[in-house]
Amino acid sequence: RRLPNVLILGAMKAGTSTMMRYLNFHPDVHCALMEVNYFDKDENYEQGPEWYRNQMPWSKPGKIVIEKSPAYLQWTKKVPPRVLAFNSTVKLIIILKDPLKRTVSHYTHRLAVNGPNIQKFYHYVVNSETKKILTDSLLIKTSMYYERIHDWFKWFPQKQFLILSGEQFERQPWQTLREVETFLGIKPFFRHEHFQYNSTKGFFCLKLTNKTHCMSSNKGRAHPAIALETLEKLQNFFNIENQKLYFLLNRTFDWP
Ligand SMILES: Nc1ncnc2c1ncn2[C@@H]1O[C@H](COP(=O)(O)OS(=O)(=O)O)[C@@H](OP(=O)(O)O)[C@H]1O
């Protein structure tokens, strides 16, 4: 077992599990298929690097080992200095998706995990007294990409990051995977003809041999209807956040 030389930091609900599932088929890659949460959870970090290594898959020398824990793009004060102390040359991948859609997906995830009796979406994202956006709520904090990535850029040079569009990954996974292959310096493996659109799921599935690999039913869930007023309020908030992100990265994404 070898320690990872690539981390997928997040964002939670931006397509990170699908990315890991696909990359694990690449002959030069081994992926840890569980989220290890080594750098964010103190009780794991305190176990030390040997513990971390033992959570990794078996791997052959010279291959790429990838771990992903989307919490690494949530706890961005604590995690980056720990990662720097671990490996200053580690490659870092981030997938971003329209922050409004990501926030609703995050809430949908909570509904699925905790049941229908949790608070309404509005109460997770807006302070009902001040009517201000709850920037400390994990649902919002995770979608504040400018802040999260800016925190990471304090510790690692930009050239160590690959920042991907979750929308492009959904529409043309073969293209996004080619970007990853180039970034990792591994041979091109995934091709357009390996992907079949599944109209029931509403997503592409990977077909390498005669077996088709679709994500399970907890990926690509139907989202609950959210009041238009709440969505507009959030969109106004994210418009400003997104502009800051575009300036930081010197590129735009196709979000409204
Ligand atoms: N091929 C394929 N199949 C199914 N789902 C796909 C796929 N590609 C991307 N997605 C999107 O991935 C979203 C879940 O993101 P993550 O895997 O990052 O979630 S998690 O953080 O690991 O819980 C998931 O979000 P929801 O639609 O809210 O379930 C999908 O939008």
Side-chain angles (χ1 to χ4, degrees):
R1 294 177 199 272
R2 290 171 179 77
L3 286 163
N5 36 25
V6 179
L7 297 177
I8 298 184
L9 307 177
M12 180 184 170
K13 308 316 293 180
T16 58
S17 307
T18 311
M19 177 61 78
M20 287 293 272
R21 176 102 186 268
Y22 291 172
L23 283 176
N24 204 35
F25 285 103
H26 193 293
D28 298 340
V29 173
H30 300 281
C31 291
L33 289 176
M34 298 294 284
E35 291 171 10
V36 180
N37 292 109
Y38 174 63
F39 296 104
D40 59 297
K41 286 205 171 137
D42 293 349
E43 63 271 29
N44 292 341
Y45 191 65
E46 280 156 16
Q47 307 273 335
E50 270 310 290
W51 177 89
Y52 191 31
R53 197 165 65 83
N54 279 320
Q55 313 310 309
M56 292 302 123
W58 295 101
S59 60
K60 299 199 182 103
K63 303 287 177 190
I64 302 273
V65 179
I66 310 184
E67 194 252 322
K68 83 105 176 168
S69 295
Y72 299 164
L73 198 65
Q74 292 176 324
W75 307 106
T76 55
K77 301 288 181 223
K78 173 163 62 172
V79 172
R82 287 179 171 184
V83 174
L84 186 68
F86 160 73
N87 178 354
S88 63
T89 62
V90 67
K91 291 191 172 182
L92 304 165
I93 298 177
I94 294 175
I95 312 173
L96 299 178
K97 180 173 179 168
D98 180 341
L100 182 57
K101 292 209 182 96
R102 198 219 67 82
T103 306
V104 176
S105 174
H106 197 152
Y107 177 71
T108 311
H109 178 90
R110 288 220 177 146
L111 274 175
V113 172
N114 300 314
N117 295 330
I118 64 167
Q119 284 187 311
K120 296 274 172 259
F121 178 75
Y122 179 85
H123 297 289
Y124 277 100
V125 296
V126 180
N127 180 319
S128 41
E129 278 171 26
T130 63
K131 310 285 180 225
K132 288 208 168 123
I133 301 291
L134 287 169
T135 52
D136 284 341
S137 150
L138 203 54
L139 261 73
I140 296 295
K141 204 179 127 157
T142 312
S143 297
M144 293 173 67
Y145 301 142
Y146 167 79
E147 314 282 341
R148 302 286 69 79
I149 293 175
H150 189 259
D151 282 347
W152 270 96
F153 281 1
K154 288 179 196 153
W155 298 89
F156 287 90
Q158 287 206 28
K159 65 172 176 4
Q160 241 161 287
F161 292 83
L162 176 67
I163 302 187
L164 299 166
S165 155
E167 285 80 11
Q168 188 203 264
F169 183 48
E170 284 175 24
R171 279 194 308 263
Q172 295 169 310
W174 54 92
Q175 262 189 23
T176 309
L177 285 160
R178 184 56 50 87
E179 281 185 63
V180 176
E181 290 166 339
T182 305
F183 177 67
L184 299 182
I186 52 178
K187 61 175 167 281
F189 172 74
F190 298 100
R191 295 197 305 271
H192 189 163
E193 56 268 32
H194 289 147
F195 293 89
Q196 272 186 351
Y197 188 74
N198 180 313
S199 50
T200 313
K201 259 204 100 55
F203 287 95
F204 281 95
C205 300
L206 179 65
K207 190 168 192 285
L208 285 173
T209 51
N210 48 8
K211 185 168 166 24
T212 305
H213 303 272
C214 292
M215 296 303 285
S216 55
S217 57
N218 63 351
K219 306 290 169 192
R221 293 174 176 129
H223 294 176
I226 307 290
L228 199 58
E229 202 186 325
T230 310
L231 291 177
E232 278 171 5
K233 192 174 178 65
L234 279 176
Q235 188 61 63
N236 289 337
F237 173 79
F238 286 129
N239 284 344
I240 300 164
E241 289 297 308
N242 292 348
Q243 289 310 312
K244 288 196 281 183
L245 177 77
Y246 297 164
F247 188 73
L248 178 71
L249 301 182
N250 196 23
R251 65 172 280 195
T252 57
F253 288 85
D254 50 2
W255 308 326

